[in-house]
Amino acid sequence: MGTLIDRFDEHDGPVRGIHFHRSQPLFVSGGDDYKIKLWNYKLRRCLFTLLGHLDYIRTVHFHSGYPWIVSASDDQTIRVWNWQSRTCVTVLTGHNHYVMCAMFHPKEDLLVSASLDQTIRVWDISGLRKKSVAPTGDEMRMPQ
């Protein structure tokens, strides 16, 4: 049996995507308010909000090695964010309907997305490493 330990309610509308960080006490959320929020569940608060999407956010997901978050939106884009610098690293376009989900490959420089345009697209993101800090593991610093 599960026991509720906390509740976070800073989104202005439904929350559609959520993902835990693999080693930090963090999770990321995205929803119908077009906002991505990074939370520290030990501090029990939202650390910051990322803005850029122009429609509902369907999914959010942490990268396993880099300080990145991928988000998929009804604005037909996929965005990759650097959560340490709090910036959008790139916007991937090409879908012509809502992007329902997107995920990083666990080991390769690939990202996959799925859309209501009835396509699944695989993206090479190896060029993003040049725009980011070196890969990090458990030594990643949490944002203050």
Side-chain angles (χ1 to χ4, degrees):
M1 184 167 127
T3 302
L4 177 67
I5 60 171
D6 216 332
R7 175 183 159 149
F8 301 86
D9 58 2
E10 289 187 33
H11 276 282
D12 299 316
V15 180
R16 296 184 183 266
I18 197 154
H19 187 239
F20 273 115
H21 190 275
R22 68 181 180 90
S23 61
Q24 298 287 330
L26 305 174
F27 64 89
V28 62
S29 62
D32 288 6
D33 56 3
Y34 312 176
K35 296 175 183 174
I36 297 166
K37 293 183 173 283
L38 189 80
W39 307 82
N40 183 310
Y41 59 85
K42 287 192 176 175
L43 296 177
R44 298 180 173 200
R45 67 182 180 93
C46 178
L47 299 176
F48 57 85
T49 301
L50 300 169
L51 300 172
H53 280 294
L54 304 174
D55 208 335
Y56 298 165
I57 296 166
R58 297 286 181 161
T59 189
V60 288
H61 198 267
F62 281 107
H63 191 276
S64 62
Y66 284 89
W68 296 340
I69 294 166
V70 64
S71 57
S73 172
D74 284 6
D75 66 9
Q76 303 179 21
T77 68
I78 302 113
R79 290 179 179 257
V80 177
W81 308 83
N82 181 318
W83 60 265
Q84 287 181 334
S85 66
R86 304 179 190 189
T87 59
C88 182
V89 179
T90 194
V91 180
L92 303 173
T93 61
H95 284 292
N96 57 33
H97 209 309
Y98 303 158
V99 184
M100 301 305 288
C101 59
M103 285 188 75
F104 293 111
H105 188 283
K107 295 184 180 173
E108 297 184 35
D109 289 333
L110 299 173
L111 189 149
V112 65
S113 60
S115 169
L116 289 186
D117 66 10
Q118 302 180 10
T119 66
I120 298 165
R121 298 176 190 232
V122 179
W123 309 82
D124 178 349
I125 58 168
S126 58
L128 296 184
R129 284 183 285 125
K130 298 171 187 151
K131 293 183 171 185
S132 186
V133 297
T136 54
D138 291 335
E139 71 276 10
M140 285 193 275
R141 282 186 238 131
M142 282 190 298
Q144 299 299 318

